[in-house]
Every structure is written in C-alpha cells, then in structure tokens.
Amino acid sequence: MNIENLLASLEAKHPGESEYLQAVKEVLISIEDVYNQHPEFEKAKIIERLVEPDRIFTFRVTWVDDKGDVQTNLGYRIQFNNAIGPYKGGVRFHASVTPSILKFLGFEQTFKNALTTLPMGGAKGGSDFSPRGKSDAEVMRFCQAFMLELWRQLGPDMDVPAGDIGVGGREVGYLYGMYKKLTRQCTGTFTGKGLEFGGSLIRPEATGFGGLYFVHHMLDHANIDIKGKTVAISGFGNVAWGAATKATELGAKVVTISGPDGYIYDPEGISGEKIDFMLELRATGEDIVAPYVDEFPSAKFIADRRPWEVNVDIALPCATQNELNGEDAQHLIDNNILCVGEISNMGCTPEAIDLFIEKEILYAPGKAVNAGGVATSGLEMSQNAMHISWGAKEVDDRLHHIMEGIHSQCIKYGTLPDGYINYVKGANIAGFMKVAHAMLAQGIY
Ligand code: 2IT
C-alpha cells in the first residue's frame, strides 16, 4: 500500500471532502504495516475498495413549514460497506451536514461495527435540516418527507438506520411510523425506537454508558482508580447525559458540559438533578447551556469557549467531530490529564491525537469508545428478530461484555514494545482485519 498515492487519488476524486479524507488517512497510517504483511489484501485491492462507499443516495426533501411556506432540504443515505452484515448506522439532522461528514461517519462506522463483534455493516445518513427551533409538527412533516424518499432502500436485513446528532427518540418515532405506513411491516428497520414498539432498554443510555465502561477498563489497565477523579464532558445531548450519569455512578466527578454557546463549569459536580436538568435544557430546543447557571448558581458559564481549558483528570468529548484541537490537547497535557476518551465520532483533530500519543497519554478513539451505542442497536435488532424483549440487566450486561471485548482487541493490536497502548492503532487494525477477511472470503464484486 502506498499511502501517499492512495490519498492523492482520493483527494483528486473527492476534492474538499476534508473530514472524509481525514478519517481515511488515520486508518491508512494505522494499518499500513499489517496490510503490507498480507499480499492477499493488496492483490484483491481491499483498501481501494474499502475507502469508497458501496453507494450513496442523495435526494430532495420538500416539506411545508407552520407558516405554509415550502421548504427544501437535502437528504442522504450512504451505504458504506456490508461485508459483515446489513448496513447499519445513524442518521444526523444538522445544518452542518455534508456528504464529506456523512462519508467519514460511514467509513468509521464500518470499523466500529466490526469491533462490536455483532454482524453489522457500516452506513450513515442525514440531512442539512436542523430540528433546532422547529415545531413538533414541522419535525414530523420533515421526517415523513425524508422517509417517503428513503424507505425502499431500507429493511431489517438490508439497511437499519438509527439516531445521531439531531435525531433522537422523537425523530426515530416519526421516521419509523412513516416507514411502517409505507411497508405495512413491523420489522426492526430502525433502532432507538420507543420501548412500546420494539425499542430496547438501555439504548438511550448506551453510548455514554459504554463509553464509561471502556474508559474504566483503560484506567484499570493502567492501575488508575476512577473514584474521585474529575471529568470534563463536552456537549449536553443524549451522549453527554449517559456519560455524566455513568461517570457519577462510578464515583467520578463531572465538572463541565457544553453547548454551541460556551461551557458550564460546576466545581461542585454535575450529578443527580443537575444531570436531569440537561434533559430540560435540551427540551427547550434552543441548543444553549447558559441557562444552567440560573438554576444552579454555584456554576459558571464561560461563553464561546471549550471545556478543555479546565484542569481535570479525564476528558470526554461528547459533542461532535474535531471539537478538541492541538491547542486544547496541549492545555490538557499541561494540566497533567490522565485519560482522554473520545465519545463523539472523531472528536479530536489529528494534531491533538499526535500530541496525546507522543506524550503517551491514555487516549482512545471514538470508534472504540463510543461503539456501545451501535452495539446496543445490534442488541435491539436481535430482540426484534426474536420477537422478544430483554430486561435492562440483560442488555447492560451484554453491553458491558462487548465493551470489555473491544478493549481487549485494542490491547491485542495496539500494545507497543514499550508497553504503551496505542488505542488508535489497536482499534483500526482490529476493525480492519475483520472487514478485510470478510471481503476476501466473499470474492471480488
Ligand atoms: O455513531 C454512531 O455509532 C451512532 N450514531 C449510532 C448508530 C446506531 O446505529 O445505533
């Protein structure tokens, strides 16, 4: 494999798709050595095939807003790779959504899903529609219009979407409702569904819970006790909420959350009713965290800044891609950070990751740390296929077991001769090997 040639040809084909090229580059660098030890990969052009999505659907989504005006957005579904199972991955509704962002997410999803050990391929979808500031009726009409275009491409053994930024239980309900209306089938062709209609217990908490199970294993492996450690979390959505809940339960103290408007620093710890208040903040639909300080005056609101300047032991990006850059990483390192667990997808920039690895900081990437979300989606698919539902403990135990397994795979493939664990390498190689062998076994097509 010649990384420079590969990247140059991808850049020429997909100019300006910076997030996609960033995600591909990271994986290529990680797997280069292993790849070159397997001439059969080179012969079958595995990597050239793996970096391009199987197919991309792009469609117009037209709907009518509450004023009676006609609105048009763009919708996408990227079916990235189904070598190990049906296409699986979330749908993101946010004004920032571009094909490049969805391609990076679909590419990452392919390896993440492989790490879960469950039979799921990689996909991602979304729209440049933002639910922020829209009425419930507008969100419903948008979701219905989106599904009118996409439903033919989906199915329980073909492609199973779920939520992501801007798509939670409400949106999944509307999307799935229209899907059912069109197909007249109650299949599990969506995960993150409501509990009354096939959803799984623990799915809403799973990304954050799984993230903390993973971080707990990282710390254990390094003989560090999580109890009493301070934690900076970014975001205040579903993932941040699950992470704050589990971090608190494990005895750590969460001192920040953040939104597009700035961050909250609460030295007394964001626990109990303060965690529940995150749900209220989110329910306003305004996408700001500043009102937290009106409710809890012990806290400070710092406008237009990110939480990585706070002196903490553990940093958990839970918001969006590239939310922690080289400068932020340097701040954390100067403050003697112990562990960085990326719970958002590609939360750290390449500069930040390079710094963490150079300084041998315990750092693990999103595709390992946040895989608990999609893993529990996989468990929802299993329950739907069996027409049963498991209790919370059963799902949580399985989630725990899966995260432990992902951690072990990272140790297996990422331990360097000096004992430092390069979790980026570990996760990328482990995910890649599984997908590559599945592709080889199924021939050239
Ligand atoms: O990034 C992710 O893994 C998700 N948004 C969850 C995907 C899923 O299918 O549950």
Side-chain angles (χ1 to χ4, degrees), residues 37 202 205 286 293 348 368 403 427:
Q37 289 158 14
I202 308 290
E205 297 90 337
E286 287 189 50
V293 291
C348 298
M403 298 315 295

Side-chain angles (χ1 to χ4, degrees), residues 253-275:
K253 182 164 146 187
V254 177
V255 293
T256 72
I257 52 169
S258 74
D261 55 333
Y263 75 91
I264 297 292
Y265 174 57
D266 189 340
E268 290 180 4
I270 301 171
S271 61
E273 54 163 356
K274 294 172 172 177
I275 295 179

Side-chain angles (χ1 to χ4, degrees), residues 320-392:
T320 192
Q321 68 273 352
N322 292 327
E323 54 167 320
L324 194 162
N325 64 25
E327 207 181 310
D328 299 321
Q330 194 57 55
H331 270 133
L332 293 171
I333 292 167
D334 292 344
N335 284 328
N336 298 316
I337 191 81
L338 293 176
C339 175
V340 182
E342 207 178 71
I343 310 192
S344 46
N345 287 308
M346 207 166 77
C348 298
T349 64
E351 295 74 31
I353 299 173
D354 286 350
L355 271 173
F356 292 141
I357 292 177
E358 189 192 311
K359 301 283 185 220
E360 303 215 330
I361 304 286
L362 270 184
Y363 160 78
K367 62 171 81 67
V369 185
N370 75 28
V374 73
T376 308
S377 279
L379 300 177
E380 183 172 332
M381 290 165 72
S382 306
Q383 293 169 78
N384 292 164
M386 291 189 285
H387 304 280
I388 58 165
S389 49
W390 289 326

Side-chain angles (χ1 to χ4, degrees), residues 95-166:
S96 64
V97 162
T98 60
S100 167
I101 288 179
L102 298 181
K103 279 171 70 179
F104 115 65
L105 288 163
F107 181 71
E108 295 255 311
Q109 198 81 45
T110 303
F111 302 107
K112 184 198 305 191
N113 293 3
L115 288 173
T116 67
T117 68
L118 302 175
M120 300 183 289
K124 206 81 192 190
S127 172
D128 59 356
F129 168 86
S130 273
R132 177 183 175 178
K134 305 288 192 306
S135 74
D136 211 50
E138 287 175 325
V139 170
M140 181 179 76
R141 288 196 293 275
F142 173 81
C143 289
Q144 293 177 336
F146 184 91
M147 204 38 77
L148 274 171
E149 270 299 320
L150 189 58
W151 69 279
R152 282 181 194 81
Q153 320 304 341
L154 308 178
D157 297 311
M158 182 161 34
D159 184 351
V160 182
D164 193 80
I165 294 171

